[in-house]
Amino acid sequence: MRKTIVTVIVLGLVALGHTTWPFYDLYRFIGAIERSDVVEVGRSVDFNAARQSLAQQIVAAYFRKTGAKLGPLVQSMAASAAVTIADPILAKLMTPEALIDFLKNGWPTTAFPDGGPPGIVGISANSFGTAWQTFSNTEYGFGRFDVVVPITAPPERQFKLRFRLSQWRWRLKAIGLPARVQDQFADDLVKSVKITSPSP
C-alpha cells in the first residue's frame, strides 16, 4: 500500500513538472526580452525556423497587397522561396537585438524607424495576465506549446508564440504576426522591391 501511494505521488509530481516546465521556460524567455538579454534570447530562439515562419507570413501579405493571383503550383514555389523574397525585411529583423526590440515594442523600432501599425503593443510579463489566464490561452501538447499575447488584446492585435521542445529546452520556433503587422511588413517589402528593381 505504501509503495502504491509513493508511486502515485511520484507520478503526480512528474506530471506536474511536465505541465509547468514550458511555462517556466516561457517566463524565462519573457524575462530575457524585458532585460534585453541578448545571450538568453539567442539560446531560446530557433532563428532559422522563426525566419521561415515570418517569411511565409510576410510574403503572403505581400501577394495580398500587390493583388497577385497565383495558381497552386506557383503558390508552392513562392512558399519555398519566401525567405529569399522577404530577405530585405528579415535581414534587419533576425538578430537577437532586433528581435528583442520587435517583441518588446510590438514593432522593430530600431530597424524600421518610420513606425509600425497603430494599436500594437509589445510583449511583457504583464501581457500574460494571471497564471490561469496564461494557461487558458495556450495550446499544449507533447513537445509543443503555443501561447497568444497580449491576452487581453483582440485577436487581430495578438502575437502567437510557438515553442517546441528541442534538446531539453523549449525554444521559440515561430511567431504568428497580427494582421496589421503583416500588412506593415508587406508595405515595407513593396517599397524595398520598387527601390531595388532596375529601371526600364
Side-chain angles (χ1 to χ4, degrees):
M1 180 67 177
R2 183 177 296 175
K3 289 183 179 179
T4 302
I5 293 174
V6 170
T7 301
V8 169
I9 291 173
V10 170
L11 290 175
L13 291 174
V14 169
L16 179 62
H18 184 266
T19 301
T20 58
W21 180 17
F23 291 96
Y24 171 79
D25 278 0
L26 170 65
Y27 281 103
R28 182 169 64 178
F29 173 69
I30 297 305
I33 294 293
E34 292 182 321
R35 297 189 310 273
S36 298
D37 187 338
V38 173
V39 174
E40 180 62 27
V41 169
R43 284 196 296 253
S44 301
V45 178
D46 182 336
F47 281 91
N48 288 333
R51 185 185 184 98
Q52 184 68 42
S53 79
L54 292 175
Q56 291 174 353
Q57 295 171 78
I58 293 169
V59 169
Y62 170 79
F63 284 135
R64 288 198 305 271
K65 286 279 184 178
T66 57
K69 303 294 184 182
L70 304 178
L73 179 60
V74 178
Q75 284 181 351
S76 176
M77 293 171 62
S80 65
V83 173
T84 302
I85 297 170
D87 192 64
I89 303 294
L90 299 173
K92 297 179 181 180
L93 189 59
M94 284 289 97
T95 66
E97 294 86 355
L99 189 61
I100 287 171
D101 182 32
F102 180 27
L103 294 179
K104 185 184 288 188
N105 298 300
W107 181 255
T109 55
T110 302
F112 298 90
D114 290 341
I120 303 297
V121 299
I123 297 170
S124 66
N126 292 333
S127 63
F128 287 91
T130 65
W132 173 249
Q133 286 176 314
T134 303
F135 181 79
S136 62
N137 281 274
T138 61
E139 296 177 13
Y140 182 76
F142 186 75
R144 64 181 182 83
F145 177 72
D146 299 346
V147 60
V148 293
V149 286
I151 286 174
T152 57
E156 66 272 13
R157 297 184 184 179
Q158 289 179 323
F159 292 85
K160 184 173 185 177
L161 306 181
R162 175 166 295 168
F163 293 84
R164 295 294 181 264
L165 190 59
S166 175
Q167 297 179 340
W168 298 102
R169 184 185 184 97
W170 291 93
R171 302 181 70 201
L172 182 68
K173 295 279 187 173
I175 304 169
L177 300 176
R180 290 183 180 181
V181 175
Q182 291 182 28
D183 289 342
Q184 183 69 52
F185 278 133
D187 288 340
D188 289 336
L189 184 56
V190 169
K191 294 175 187 175
S192 175
V193 169
K194 285 181 180 178
I195 291 172
T196 57
S197 297
S199 301

